[in-house]
């Protein structure tokens, strides 16, 4: 399935903003050897022989060539492999199908795509249990646990408990419990679109393609729902819903006139009795009501779990680090692209296996290590 521009940005943008605020300080921005180009998109790496010589970019100034003795790609696990593929680095057959001449054959470019997967369970909170409007805490608590599945490593699951789903009026009325698979066995891919190789990549996460993933998600969802079904928690909310993969929550949280009006309408709905709430919520949000029977054994079907799974903004693995004789490896232990001089990758794409944790700090560690190695070499 193809991801649109908003989907790509959602997978890469948040952590980029965090790292920019931490590393691109006012002092750093004053460095004479640093030039930041905004509204500029890299098209490809320019290669001569077996060396990277710079990049080609498009922006407000038109198309520009930026020469460099060493190019470092940090575009993330969706766009770094895209740039390599456009530059002729990747599987020969796939490049030829897209009309790109293979310059360096590395079968692993764009393969091995991994991401954490989530099921989102919404709860309509009773007034006495809503977060104070002036408090803006996102996650209230998290539960790390092991699925116990034969194919699952320890601590492969996470439950997150969120007291609010936005800063607009509906936010404090609608809570969220996330059931997250943090050690997926499924692998996807990133590739060029043969019809538009210079456009957005084709991204296929292949969520739940490994049977162990679906089995673990269903089991973990049952565990979390069993907690919700506890009498001590039942007084906190009216109803629980499993949100579909394309629930319109992002639209509700936008500061636009439409978003604010929708939020106000949903907030008013969530103040009404449950008998009125449930059918309208199902209609507006496409949410599937979860029946809690008070016996602590609620569950969801495998089909519903597969249909409702959504990606987190944690893609990794598409330019994996590895040994030179590993056909699936793209970069060496120092992040240098095999088969070329002067080209490195320094982002989450080089992680061969996804961490059982949020990936922002892990990615910053990769970047700091890569920077240290590059400084040492030069």
């Amino acid at each position: 399935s193809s991801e649109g521009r908003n989907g790509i940005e959602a997978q890469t943008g948040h952590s980029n903003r965090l790292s920019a605020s931490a590393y691109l300080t006012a002092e750093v921005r004053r460095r004479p050897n640093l030039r930041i180009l905004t509204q500029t998109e890299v098209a490809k790496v320019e290669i001569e022989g077996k060396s990277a010589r710079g990049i080609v970019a498009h922006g407000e100034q038109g198309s520009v060539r930026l020469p460099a003795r060493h190019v470092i790609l940090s575009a993330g696990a969706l766009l770094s492999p895209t740039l390599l593929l456009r530059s002729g680095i990747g599987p020969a057959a796939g490049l030829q199908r897209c009309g790109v001449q293979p310059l360096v054959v590395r079968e692993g470019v764009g393969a091995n795509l991994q991401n954490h997967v989530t099921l989102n369970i919404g709860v309509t909170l009773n007034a006495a249990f809503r977060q104070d409007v002036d408090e803006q805490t996102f996650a209230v608590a998290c539960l790390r646990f092991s699925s116990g599945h034969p194919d699952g490593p320890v601590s492969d699951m996470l439950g997150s408990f969120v007291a609010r789903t936005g800063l607009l009026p509906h936010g404090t009325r609608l809570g969220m419990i996330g059931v997250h698979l943090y050690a997926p066995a499924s692998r996807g891919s990133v590739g060029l679109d043969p019809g538009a190789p210079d456009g957005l990549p084709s991204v296929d996460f292949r969520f739940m393609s490994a049977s162990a993933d679906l089995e673990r998600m269903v089991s973990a969802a049952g565990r979390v729902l069993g907690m919700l079904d506890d009498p001590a928690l039942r007084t906190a909310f009216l109803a629980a819903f499993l949100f579909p993969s394309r629930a319109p929550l992002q639209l509700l949280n936008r500061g636009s006139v439409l978003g604010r009006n929708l939020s106000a309408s949903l907030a008013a709905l969530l103040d009404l009795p449950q008998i009125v709430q449930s059918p309208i919520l199902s209609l507006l949000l496409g949410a599937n009501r979860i029946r809690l029977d008070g016996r602590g054994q609620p569950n969801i079907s495998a089909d519903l779990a597969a249909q409702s799974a959504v990606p987190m903004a944690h893609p990794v693995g598409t330019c994996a680090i590895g040994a030179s004789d590993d056909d699936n490896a793209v970069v060496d232990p120092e992040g240098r692209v095999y088969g070329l001089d002067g080209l490195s990758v320094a982002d989450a794409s080089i992680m061969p296996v996804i961490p059982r944790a949020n990936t922002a700090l892990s990615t910053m560690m990769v970047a700091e290590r890569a920077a240290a190695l590059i400084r040492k070499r030069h």
Side-chain angles (χ1 to χ4, degrees), residues 21-43:
S21 66
Y23 291 95
L24 291 178
T25 63
E27 180 182 0
V28 169
R29 290 170 186 266
R30 286 193 292 269
R31 290 179 183 173
N33 64 340
L34 174 65
R35 182 185 178 196
I36 299 173
L37 300 180
T38 62
Q39 304 300 317
T40 303
E41 186 170 347
V42 178

Side-chain angles (χ1 to χ4, degrees), residues 261-280:
N261 288 337
L262 287 174
S263 174
S265 300
L266 180 58
L269 170 65
L270 294 176
D271 286 332
L272 297 175
Q274 177 183 344
I275 193 171
V276 180
Q277 281 187 20
S278 296
I280 303 179

Side-chain angles (χ1 to χ4, degrees), residues 53-110:
R53 297 300 186 187
I55 60 169
V56 176
H58 305 301
E60 295 176 327
Q61 69 279 17
S63 180
V64 295
R65 178 184 177 273
L66 301 174
R69 63 193 176 103
H70 196 105
V71 175
I72 306 167
L73 296 183
S74 296
L78 302 186
L79 294 180
S80 282
T82 301
L83 293 174
L84 291 180
L85 292 168
R86 286 183 191 160
S87 308
I89 307 165
L95 293 174
Q96 290 167 345
R97 279 196 301 271
C98 295
V100 178
Q101 180 185 358
L103 301 178
V104 178
V105 176
R106 296 305 300 185
E107 296 296 325
V109 176

Side-chain angles (χ1 to χ4, degrees), residues 112-189:
N112 194 47
L113 175 62
Q114 301 159 61
N115 201 345
H116 296 147
V117 192
T118 296
L119 294 176
N120 288 315
I121 300 168
V123 290
T124 56
L125 298 169
N126 285 321
F129 292 88
R130 294 171 185 169
Q131 192 179 73
D132 187 278
V133 292
D134 295 325
E135 189 177 352
Q136 297 184 9
T137 303
F138 175 58
V140 174
C142 291
L143 171 70
R144 291 301 301 263
F145 62 99
S146 301
S147 66
H149 192 280
D151 295 330
V154 297
S155 195
D156 55 342
M157 307 302 303
L158 174 74
S160 62
F161 302 82
V162 179
R164 68 189 304 158
T165 50
L167 299 179
L168 294 179
H170 76 278
T172 56
R173 293 165 169 82
L174 188 63
M176 187 81 77
I177 296 97
V179 182
H180 313 282
L181 175 60
Y182 264 36
S186 301
R187 298 292 185 266
S189 63

Side-chain angles (χ1 to χ4, degrees), residues 360-377:
L361 292 179
S362 302
T363 304
M364 292 178 196
M365 291 169 66
V366 165
E368 289 195 358
R369 177 64 175 155
L373 291 168
I374 291 167
R375 280 198 303 269
K376 183 177 180 180
R377 287 198 302 270

